[in-house]
Amino acid sequence: MATPYHVVRSAIAWPVNNREASLLLAPAALLLGVFFFIPLSGLLSLSLLDPGPTFAHYHEFLDNPTNWIILARTFALATKVTLICLLLGYPLAYWIVSARTWVAAALLLAVVLPFFTSYLVRTYAWMVLLGRFGVINQLLMATGLTERPVDLIYNQFSVLVAMVYILMPYTVLVLISVMKGIPYSLTRAAASLGASAAQNFWRVFFPLSAPGVIAAGLLVFVFALGFYITPVLLDGPNTMILPMQIDSYVNGTLNWPLAATAATVLLAITLVLYSISNRFVDSERLLSSNQSTAHSAGHTARHSTSAYIQLIDFVAALVRGVGHGIRFPAGIGRGWERLAPGRKLLRGLSLLLVAFLVSPILIIVPISFSSSRFLDFPPPGLSLQWYQAYFTSAAWVSATWESLGVGIAVACLSLAIGSAAAMALVRGSPRMRRIGYQLLLAPMIVPSIVNAVALYFLFARLHLINTSFALVTAHSIGAVPLVVLIVAASLQSQNIILEYAAASLGASRVVTIWRIVLPLIRPALIVSGFFAFLSSFDEVVLSLYLSGPDTTTLPIKMWSGIREEITPTIAAVSSLLIAFTIFIYVSVAIFRQAGERQAQQVR
Amino acid sequence: MPRGEPLRLERLCKQYGSVRGVNDLSVQIEAGEFVSFLGPSGSGKTTTLMMVAGFETPTSGQIFVGARPITGLPVPRRNIGVVFQNYALFPHLSVFENVAFALKMRRVSGSELRAGVAEALDLVQLSGYEARMPHELSGGQQQRVALARALVFRPGVVLMDEPLGALDKQLREHMQLELKRLQKSLGITVVFVTHDQSEALTMSDRIVVMNKGNVEQIGTPEEIYETPQTRFVAGFIGESNFLRTHIVESRKDGPLLDLAGLQIRAMWQGSDSLQGAVTLMIRPDKIIPLDPGVRTDNEFEGVVEEAVYQGNVIKYRIRLRAKIPVFLTLAAPSHARSQRFHVDQQVRIGWDARDGRLLSDEGEQSIPGKPNNRVAVSAFAGVTATADRMAIVSL
Amino acid sequence: MTYNINPSRPTRRQTLKLIGTATSGAALAIGAPGILRAQESKLVVVSGGGSYEESIRKAIIDPFQQETGITVTYVSPEDDAKLKAQVDSNNVQWDVAEVDTFAFRPDASKYLEEIDYGVFDKETLDNLVPEAKTTYGVGSYVYSTVMAFSTTEYPANKPRPRSWAEFWDADKFPGPRSLKTCSNSDVTTIEFALLAAGVPKDKLYPIDFDSGFASLDRIKSHITKFWSVGAEPGQLLSNREVSMSSAYNGRMAALKTQGAAVDYQWNEGELSPVYWVVPRGAKNRAAAMRFVAYQASAQAQARLNNLIFYGPMNRAAFKYIDPKVAADLPTTPENIAKQFFRDLSYWETKDLSGKSNTEILVERWIKWTAS
């Protein structure tokens, strides 16, 4: 039965709507305004106004041919990483979407496990794997495939591998969310109209998934542009990229205006890319929820696929024409269309990718129980000494407490601020929603090195370096958009009529939110709190700049540990982190399922 | 003891940009009256309800409960009960908590709260279900909880938005009667929104028929059915034959109409002073087969073109002269009465002049030069198709 | 020599000073007892991590805390940029920091407190080498950047690299190498390139950048990674990521005693003194001065250098150091002879355009690694 509410819902404006929405949006606006937008403008002014109004820093930066080389290298690296992620991630995502439930669940776990594993742990795992006498080389030499160790690490290869590894889960998850939004009925319809599997894929499925490809590509590219930790740990002697150059200006030559200039250049490039891709995809929608993603997919398809269809038709005609003329053996002429997702090949590839995603994490664990102080694999004997080393080290333990404290504070703060903002966005006017999304999600697209440098300059001035406050606010800037995305998606799927019902029964807005809305979106709150906590718990780059002697977080301790300690203590810490993450992930999943079951049972 | 309050809507308008949602709506609803707003999707009935409930702000106009103007009042302070489509029960609260919600908002507690909830649940015959969660209830039970929840704080006016829409037919009909009984015994004022005409006819003291934001007619169910004032009302409520005719002679007792050469007698309604082209509306059940020798005001020969068995009735399409189709329905034959037509059978049919109803052609497009063979008819599948709108009709 | 620092019996001068702070403190205490206590009993000491941290805690920090009752917060690593930022932003959290070249910056007066040699006892002052007593920094120890190699790759029965010229000779000594990066302010490596190119030890300064980088070009393809943190070469060598590397002598000696397959040699090592400095505006300046004086004493220096294989700058310290240990320290007479001193003031000297030699090197280095 058609409900009139789909009309009503968009048309009804809550009487106190805009005032309430502004009120709900205010804390987020304040946080992002003061600790995100002001630092960024401070960065801009430092690059343009030090000492007086001048373009001198831009001249100095851009006139230096070295910087152009670095820029080109940064771009080349990001492009390679993006292409590899998309090429490998697409078949896997396609498989996950189309596979039977339990296969999909297993594959998804392989994607999610590294996704939730600490960033540093993942980088460290590749150091262990790729080292000159690391796991891979030891295996290669033991099997006699090579006598001398192969150069796997400290070159662009190792950086590529680790970056692809770290960004692959993002790629696959974004692609999955878009692919899931493509109605199954469409491919069925195409099949009923006589499309072969390949034709179906190329003419129906792929064009509809294109916005996801663009969005995933953009996300990965922007992340890759700002990568700092992984290149520093895995790069060779002559592979400097822009974030390293920025760091060298800040910490090496102490030339802050030039650092600000370089950071502004990186930011500008990112924003240009973002706005270009925004013309193709409504990223706000793409990021906001699965449901509207499908909508956006259809929307984009309408706009952009006619050229694509023409191209496909043209290629088909061309191949047919050539086929007629040359008389290929039967089948080849039309075979190209069937060639599309050569299923077995792609599944094999996807399985390799799954192995690639899981194995580094699995390698870390046995090494942490090693009796050797070096990273021998397989371990010569078993021992708990590295766990003991962790638990008895005051530095490690206090870093852990600091991280837990900051993480919990970030989760609470960003949950409060972010869910309020999400309510404002979902229930507010369309205009407010559009602008609000753009502003709230902005921190997601600003490279973290830029953010870190900008905040560093601000907090140094405010005497807030080395305070937990600085860490909590800085981490919250990254966590709030996550909360907004998840909570807004959940709110959108809620029945607004329940809020009307509460009001009609005499509940004020505050009471309605407290007693009706919040309990209903509890699963989303738990999940977003988990994400917020984890994003803080795992944060390195911002902390690298903002933490200090009293506020060393676990990732910072690990960062210095990876560079300074040879022992497998890091492996032990990493294993503990993996276990911790899995524990939280599983308990959140259980919580959420319980919540969803309850919600689903209501018709 | 009636506790209902009168509800008055005064020149209510709601405009969305350039689109008129509701246009100049005025209606006075008496205390204890059951009034339905009936109309198709987009007719403005739900918007009206939402304005009364306070979820929409009128562009202009006033709403009064009793003597109390509530137009600018926030929703929680209006003290109007609302039963929503699909019930909108709070899924995370038990039956008790759902029903108790409004009382808690009014700072009722302790034994008073429990007594209030018990009384409300007793009204809807759900005592003993306090601890259940909404998802543990059947659709009908959820419906009752929603009702209890809207009644528990004893509002003078209760708004119901298609409250029975999600129930299956049997249960719906049962609930219609029960709801009506409850309303009468409590004496509450109910404003009921529905697009189901039979539901409106069954339950209402009065019906407000709406279309495109305008009120088409306000009246008792009988008035609405028997004497529709507009073409829309006639088409929307029940099935009708619409015969496009023109007046050839105005007599004192009624006009003589011409339909492609057929002479039709009709009656004046009220102080109508129609001239020229008019539409004659006649319900299919008012057309009767004429046994030989039986006379009536209007008698025609025709051929049965199609017969559709609909259970309790059989619907026939009969072609009159000049290929004019009319529909008539006959009660399905029983052993006591076995009258039945066959396709291609020659029949004689007719109707009393008092059963036809003249409607002005206002708003209805006519085809120039062919005024008499354009006939808007009730189509077979039970869809009343008029020139530009369709509505689902269930007989 | 007869001197004995007994902290329970402070010198007259120190006593007076203590009384002074105590009385002014008493006055303050009425207003803000909490702040006063915090100021009196806390000291933030900043220096390197890893095994150095363990050693300095044992040799200096812990005894200092016991003897003075001052609670030390130990922070690592030291970072010149942070030091600069703290002073620039007038938000100084560090009280005393161990730095390489910072005390020789032309603008050192802006960032550092002048060392108060008044709180030093005479014995210490007399025995400190002249290089240790500068306006803005007190010498801590001397470390050496030496040539280290993997003993797995170059066992004792085979030839081992003896000079930077041999380090540069990839034909004779194949294997991946590492050298310290010059992309941060703590520069080195270019001297080794010049030595490899045949420039004698005493003719290194002023640096001839062109021939230095020309020499670096020859070795570049054999470099696996340029290291930036002191522990990295040890990690690279013991994980056998590289066969040889420049490295800090203390790190190598420690690894060697732990049984790692690494060794090093003194020849053509680069001696670099390290200084304790007090950031300008340090919250606990008085305690900081006490600390720098304390660490300069012969016994403290001996205790530290007994543990870490770095060379004391207090000549009297050798009296308390096991001669066996002394052989592994960079500042024993015979070891000093094989090495050269890094010219810190050269690196901090600015040219006409206002760039220091360090900055010139960093810039050229980044350009060189980028291309």
Side-chain angles (χ1 to χ4, degrees):
Chain A
M1 182 161 295
T3 153
Y5 282 112
H6 65 278
V7 188
V8 174
R9 193 159 146 185
S10 54
I12 284 186
W14 192 265
V16 285
N17 191 328
N18 271 335
R19 212 180 90 227
E20 181 192 304
S22 321
L23 218 64
L24 286 169
L25 214 47
L30 194 72
L31 178 82
L32 291 189
V34 174
F35 297 110
F36 179 69
F37 290 106
I38 288 182
L40 284 186
S41 38
L43 203 64
L44 191 66
S45 73
L46 188 60
S47 73
L48 284 171
L49 299 172
D50 189 80
T54 174
F55 282 110
H57 304 304
Y58 286 89
H59 274 296
E60 187 181 351
F61 182 76
L62 296 174
D63 287 351
N64 187 345
T66 312
N67 287 331
W68 287 99
I69 294 170
I70 289 173
L71 268 175
R73 179 170 289 142
T74 310
F75 259 83
L77 182 65
T79 311
K80 282 180 207 164
V81 169
T82 308
L83 289 179
I84 295 173
C85 278
L86 288 177
L87 278 176
L88 296 179
Y90 194 95
L92 180 59
Y94 183 66
W95 191 12
I96 291 176
V97 172
S98 57
R100 264 170 296 165
T101 324
W102 71 268
V103 180
L107 293 175
L108 196 60
L109 186 69
V111 176
V112 167
L113 189 66
F115 183 72
F116 286 118
T117 304
S118 158
Y119 181 85
L120 275 171
V121 171
R122 287 187 274 167
T123 308
Y124 173 70
W126 283 106
M127 296 177 74
V128 172
L129 275 168
L130 295 175
R132 185 156 169 265
F133 285 86
V135 174
I136 291 177
N137 266 326
Q138 282 180 33
L139 287 178
L140 286 179
M141 287 188 290
T143 53
L145 285 171
T146 172
E147 268 181 41
R148 298 187 57 82
V150 184
D151 282 336
L152 297 173
I153 198 173
Y154 303 126
N155 49 33
Q156 196 167 56
F157 171 77
S158 55
V159 177
L160 266 183
V161 167
M163 282 175 74
V164 165
Y165 179 70
I166 287 165
L167 292 172
M168 184 61 77
Y170 290 97
T171 321
V172 175
L173 291 176
V174 171
L175 287 174
I176 288 175
S177 84
V178 173
M179 287 178 182
K180 277 195 173 159
I182 298 173
Y184 193 47
S185 58
L186 288 181
T187 45
R188 278 189 168 172
S192 78
L193 296 171
S196 70
Q199 285 174 323
N200 210 330
F201 177 81
W202 288 115
R203 285 175 183 269
V204 178
F205 192 86
F206 183 73
L208 287 174
S209 67
V213 174
I214 296 174
L218 170 75
L219 199 69
V220 170
F221 194 86
V222 167
F223 277 173
L225 273 187
F227 252 49
Y228 171 69
I229 301 298
T230 309
V232 167
L233 288 177
L234 289 170
D235 232 352
N238 52 356
T239 43
M240 187 175 242
I241 55 171
L242 194 55
M244 292 159 86
Q245 172 73 316
I246 293 173
D247 180 62
S248 130
Y249 283 138
V250 178
N251 287 318
T253 49
L254 311 190
N255 192 337
W256 286 11
L258 210 52
T261 306
T264 309
V265 168
L266 182 57
L267 181 62
I269 292 168
T270 309
L271 290 180
V272 167
L273 281 172
Y274 178 71
S275 56
I276 289 175
S277 69
N278 236 0
R279 297 178 71 94
F280 293 100
V281 200
D282 188 350
S283 330
E284 168 220 314
R285 284 212 164 156
L286 210 52
L287 293 170
S288 56
S289 80
N290 289 359
Q291 215 178 354
S292 41
T293 307
H295 182 86
S296 154
H299 187 72
T300 314
R302 270 200 299 284
H303 282 291
S304 57
T305 47
S306 66
Y308 174 82
I309 295 293
Q310 278 169 12
L311 181 78
I312 289 269
D313 284 342
F314 174 74
V315 174
L318 193 75
V319 172
R320 246 173 257 135
V322 171
H324 276 298
I326 307 180
R327 278 182 178 254
F328 281 115
I332 287 189
R334 246 181 273 159
W336 75 275
E337 277 187 338
R338 234 170 285 137
L339 185 140
R343 188 160 289 183
K344 279 185 184 160
L345 182 79
L346 287 183
R347 293 216 166 150
L349 205 66
S350 296
L351 277 181
L352 281 181
L353 186 63
V354 166
F356 168 77
L357 286 172
V358 176
S359 55
I361 295 171
L362 298 184
I363 284 288
I364 288 287
V365 179
I367 284 182
S368 70
F369 291 103
S370 173
S371 61
S372 161
R373 46 175 304 121
F374 305 108
L375 304 174
D376 293 323
F377 193 86
L382 294 179
S383 137
L384 284 174
Q385 55 179 322
W386 310 118
Y387 288 90
Q388 196 189 352
Y390 165 77
F391 282 110
T392 53
S393 156
W396 278 110
V397 171
S398 79
T400 310
W401 283 119
E402 175 72 21
S403 267
L404 283 173
V406 170
I408 288 168
V410 167
C412 296
L413 181 69
S414 51
L415 206 53
I417 290 179
S419 35
M423 273 176 220
L425 292 192
V426 171
R427 303 287 188 248
S429 67
R431 188 156 159 270
M432 171 180 272
R433 192 178 318 173
R434 203 172 53 247
I435 298 173
Y437 263 120
Q438 293 288 345
L439 293 183
L440 284 180
L441 301 189
M444 294 189 91
I445 58 155
V446 173
S448 54
I449 185 92
V450 175
N451 214 346
V453 170
L455 267 177
Y456 177 61
F457 292 159
L458 175 77
F459 280 155
R461 237 170 256 144
L462 296 175
H463 311 322
L464 285 174
I465 303 285
N466 184 28
T467 57
S468 296
F469 172 82
L471 288 175
V472 171
T473 44
H475 290 180
S476 297
I477 288 163
V480 164
L482 294 174
V483 175
V484 169
L485 282 181
I486 297 168
V487 173
S490 170
L491 279 173
Q492 265 164 359
S493 68
Q494 290 301 324
N495 187 358
I496 197 175
I497 302 302
L498 291 177
E499 292 171 46
Y500 290 0
S504 79
L505 295 171
S508 67
R509 277 307 278 163
V510 176
V511 173
T512 305
I513 289 172
W514 189 248
R515 300 185 70 150
I516 306 297
V517 180
L518 291 183
L520 286 174
I521 59 169
R522 202 179 59 194
L525 294 179
I526 293 170
V527 170
S528 60
F530 164 65
F531 270 86
F533 172 82
L534 216 58
S535 78
S536 157
F537 198 69
D538 193 22
E539 210 291 323
V540 197
V541 177
L542 286 165
S543 313
L544 213 49
Y545 281 81
L546 302 179
S547 72
D550 304 327
T551 53
T552 303
T553 62
L554 195 55
I556 295 304
K557 180 69 190 152
M558 283 188 72
W559 161 253
S560 61
I562 285 174
R563 302 218 288 183
E564 297 192 0
E565 283 182 42
I566 305 151
T567 64
T569 309
I570 301 284
V573 178
S574 301
S575 305
L576 286 174
L577 276 181
I578 293 169
F580 178 63
T581 311
I582 292 176
F583 170 73
I584 293 193
Y585 177 67
V586 168
S587 37
V588 165
I590 290 170
F591 249 113
R592 190 166 74 152
Q593 266 182 356
E596 275 174 359
R597 202 172 305 133
Q598 191 187 7
Q600 264 174 6
Q601 279 164 341
V602 182
R603 282 272 130 197
Chain B
M1 184 186 89
R3 64 183 191 208
E5 287 179 283
L7 173 70
R8 182 154 52 96
L9 312 184
E10 238 178 55
R11 310 212 63 176
L12 218 50
C13 288
K14 179 67 190 179
Q15 199 131 359
Y16 300 113
S18 59
V19 182
R20 286 236 169 95
V22 171
N23 190 23
D24 201 16
L25 187 152
S26 296
V27 60
Q28 167 80 43
I29 296 166
E30 303 303 334
E33 199 178 10
F34 192 117
V35 172
S36 292
F37 280 68
L38 177 64
S41 291
S43 59
K45 58 189 190 319
T46 296
T47 306
T48 306
L49 193 83
M50 287 292 153
M51 286 192 283
V52 177
F55 301 115
E56 290 264 20
T57 318
T59 312
S60 64
Q62 287 286 322
I63 305 166
F64 297 90
V65 171
R68 184 164 65 104
I70 59 162
T71 319
L73 216 58
V75 181
R77 288 172 50 200
R78 295 199 172 195
N79 223 33
I80 292 177
V82 184
V83 179
F84 292 88
Q85 193 173 29
N86 298 322
Y87 328 129
L89 296 182
F90 303 129
H92 59 298
L93 300 181
S94 67
V95 168
F96 181 89
E97 288 295 330
N98 262 286
V99 176
F101 191 90
L103 295 180
K104 284 186 176 172
M105 292 304 115
R106 286 161 177 78
R107 312 218 178 281
V108 177
S109 62
S111 56
E112 198 186 342
L113 176 82
R114 282 192 298 277
V117 174
E119 188 194 331
L121 285 175
D122 190 45
L123 274 181
V124 297
Q125 297 158 27
L126 273 183
S127 299
Y129 286 80
E130 285 85 353
R132 299 274 186 98
M133 295 304 282
H135 67 259
E136 294 168 331
L137 301 177
S138 71
Q141 289 168 331
Q142 292 188 23
Q143 167 60 49
R144 288 160 201 257
V145 175
L147 198 58
R149 190 178 67 174
L151 294 175
V152 69
F153 60 100
R154 302 177 183 223
V157 176
V158 176
L159 310 178
M160 301 189 183
D161 185 7
E162 310 238 5
L164 308 175
L167 302 179
D168 58 44
K169 191 164 178 283
Q170 294 251 320
L171 191 55
R172 190 162 69 226
E173 283 168 1
H174 175 74
M175 281 303 294
Q176 284 170 1
L177 298 176
E178 195 174 314
L179 195 57
K180 180 74 186 165
R181 200 158 47 233
L182 199 60
Q183 181 259 337
K184 279 293 166 225
S185 70
L186 292 175
I188 47 173
T189 310
V190 169
V191 176
F192 190 92
V193 160
T194 183
H195 65 260
D196 180 338
Q197 42 141 332
S198 76
E199 192 166 281
L201 293 173
T202 309
M203 303 177 74
S204 313
D205 294 324
R206 279 192 298 157
I207 297 175
V208 178
V209 184
M210 292 190 72
N211 181 37
K212 291 182 178 172
N214 294 303
V215 173
E216 294 271 344
Q217 188 172 351
I218 303 177
T220 63
E222 197 174 343
E223 285 167 354
I224 297 285
Y225 188 82
E226 298 294 341
T227 57
Q229 258 148 33
T230 67
R231 172 71 190 272
F232 175 82
V233 175
F236 191 70
I237 291 124
E239 292 194 342
S240 297
N241 291 293
F242 292 106
L243 304 175
R244 178 150 299 199
T245 65
H246 64 271
I247 298 172
V248 287
E249 189 189 339
S250 290
R251 298 183 190 164
K252 197 179 166 195
D253 55 339
L256 192 64
L257 308 170
D258 174 80
L259 177 65
L262 296 175
Q263 297 272 306
I264 301 174
R265 287 172 58 195
M267 303 287 278
W268 293 120
Q269 281 106 32
S271 57
D272 281 353
S273 54
L274 294 169
Q275 286 191 335
V278 290
T279 298
L280 179 71
M281 170 226 139
I282 179 126
R283 301 280 185 194
D285 50 316
K286 307 286 188 196
I287 304 178
I288 51 170
L290 297 174
D291 295 328
V294 177
R295 314 291 303 178
T296 182
D297 297 340
N298 298 299
E299 298 171 16
F300 303 104
E301 296 282 333
V303 178
V304 176
E305 281 194 324
E306 200 171 358
V308 176
Y309 178 73
Q310 290 184 331
N312 56 339
V313 295
I314 301 180
K315 188 152 105 185
Y316 298 99
R317 188 170 77 216
I318 293 165
R319 197 182 68 223
L320 304 183
R321 231 171 62 200
K323 292 185 177 172
I324 295 163
V326 294
F327 291 89
L328 78 87
T329 50
L330 288 180
S334 65
H335 293 289
R337 183 176 50 82
S338 60
Q339 189 177 31
R340 183 164 189 171
F341 294 158
H342 305 285
V343 174
D344 290 339
Q345 188 181 343
Q346 286 279 338
V347 293
R348 202 164 67 92
I349 57 167
W351 64 86
D352 192 296
R354 288 165 296 183
D355 286 330
R357 188 162 173 81
L358 291 173
L359 301 167
S360 80
D361 267 6
E362 191 189 336
E364 193 59 45
Q365 288 177 341
S366 58
I367 299 166
K370 290 182 171 182
N372 52 359
N373 61 2
R374 179 175 152 74
V375 181
V377 292
S378 309
F380 256 40
V383 175
T384 302
T386 60
D388 58 351
R389 61 187 83 91
M390 292 175 79
I392 294 172
V393 173
S394 54
L395 274 171
Chain C
M1 224 171 273
T2 58
Y3 75 84
N4 188 10
I5 300 174
N6 187 341
S8 60
R9 273 194 296 154
T11 59
R12 203 176 90 84
R13 200 187 178 90
Q14 283 169 326
T15 312
L16 284 175
K17 212 170 160 63
L18 278 174
I19 291 167
T21 33
T23 43
S24 64
L28 273 172
I30 298 161
I35 293 170
L36 179 74
R37 222 173 296 125
Q39 278 179 342
E40 266 303 294
S41 63
K42 270 186 85 174
L43 187 69
V44 179
V45 176
V46 187
S47 188
S51 58
Y52 181 67
E53 178 179 343
E54 283 172 36
S55 306
I56 196 172
R57 275 185 186 279
K58 227 180 277 174
I60 296 176
I61 308 281
D62 292 348
F64 177 76
Q65 292 191 98
Q66 278 172 12
E67 292 170 23
T68 61
I70 295 170
T71 311
V72 171
T73 307
Y74 189 86
V75 175
S76 82
E78 195 279 327
D79 180 339
D80 288 356
K82 281 190 179 166
L83 175 55
K84 179 175 179 283
Q86 287 183 15
V87 178
D88 278 339
S89 60
N90 198 18
N91 177 30
V92 181
Q93 287 142 5
W94 297 352
D95 294 315
V96 55
E98 208 171 16
V99 298
D100 294 306
T101 62
F102 205 91
F104 293 89
R105 288 173 68 103
D107 58 356
S109 64
K110 195 178 147 196
Y111 291 105
L112 301 175
E113 297 278 347
E114 272 191 47
I115 298 299
D116 181 4
Y117 287 100
V119 303
F120 286 60
D121 62 65
K122 191 171 178 304
E123 303 284 351
T124 303
L125 282 178
D126 288 347
N127 283 302
L128 280 177
V129 295
E131 289 89 339
K133 294 176 282 188
T134 71
T135 317
Y136 297 104
V138 180
S140 170
Y141 62 85
V142 178
Y143 69 91
S144 179
T145 311
V146 296
M147 187 190 306
F149 46 85
S150 156
T151 53
T152 323
E153 305 269 346
Y154 308 111
N157 55 0
K158 286 192 181 158
R160 289 171 160 179
R162 310 288 308 161
S163 68
W164 292 107
E166 290 187 336
F167 188 98
W168 252 245
D169 189 345
D171 295 331
K172 195 169 162 194
F173 297 98
R177 291 147 160 77
S178 181
L179 284 167
K180 185 171 186 320
T181 179
C182 294
S183 66
N184 56 31
S185 57
D186 178 22
V187 298
T188 175
T189 301
I190 189 90
E191 287 95 338
F192 300 146
L194 288 167
L195 287 168
V199 178
K201 279 196 298 198
D202 52 348
K203 297 278 193 295
L204 289 170
Y205 301 97
I207 299 287
D208 178 350
F209 285 107
D210 290 334
S211 56
F213 277 99
S215 175
L216 281 169
D217 279 337
R218 292 197 288 118
I219 195 71
K220 193 176 184 183
S221 61
H222 301 283
I223 300 288
T224 290
K225 185 178 182 67
F226 289 111
W227 59 270
S228 59
V229 182
E232 275 180 289
Q235 192 185 31
L236 291 168
L237 283 166
S238 53
N239 287 345
R240 296 179 64 197
E241 297 295 344
V242 298
S243 320
M244 59 178 106
S245 176
S246 62
Y248 298 141
N249 72 293
R251 301 268 189 182
M252 289 304 110
L255 270 182
K256 206 174 140 184
T257 51
Q258 284 166 12
V262 296
D263 205 349
Y264 64 99
Q265 56 92 20
W266 291 111
N267 198 34
E268 297 185 330
E270 181 189 59
L271 291 165
S272 314
V274 166
Y275 295 87
W276 285 106
V277 296
V278 179
R280 198 169 174 82
K283 292 196 187 86
N284 307 300
R285 183 183 170 278
M289 291 301 171
R290 280 183 77 184
F291 180 82
V292 299
Y294 180 84
Q295 67 80 31
S297 70
Q299 281 159 322
Q301 291 237 315
R303 278 199 303 268
L304 177 68
N305 293 293
N306 245 331
L307 294 173
I308 59 163
F309 310 102
Y310 292 135
M313 295 187 90
N314 188 324
R315 283 180 291 243
F318 279 108
K319 290 202 299 186
Y320 305 97
I321 296 175
D322 186 339
K324 268 189 189 165
V325 173
D328 282 334
L329 302 189
T331 48
T332 57
E334 74 252 42
N335 287 347
I336 269 190
K338 295 178 187 167
Q339 305 173 74
F340 65 95
F341 265 97
R342 167 143 70 144
D343 189 341
L344 295 180
S345 52
Y346 169 79
W347 285 117
E348 291 299 327
T349 306
K350 295 198 174 187
D351 69 0
L352 292 174
S353 68
K355 276 185 181 159
S356 72
N357 285 320
T358 304
E359 285 169 313
I360 291 168
L361 174 61
V362 169
E363 207 165 280
R364 283 199 65 159
W365 179 271
I366 288 173
K367 185 180 168 196
W368 178 71
T369 51
S371 51

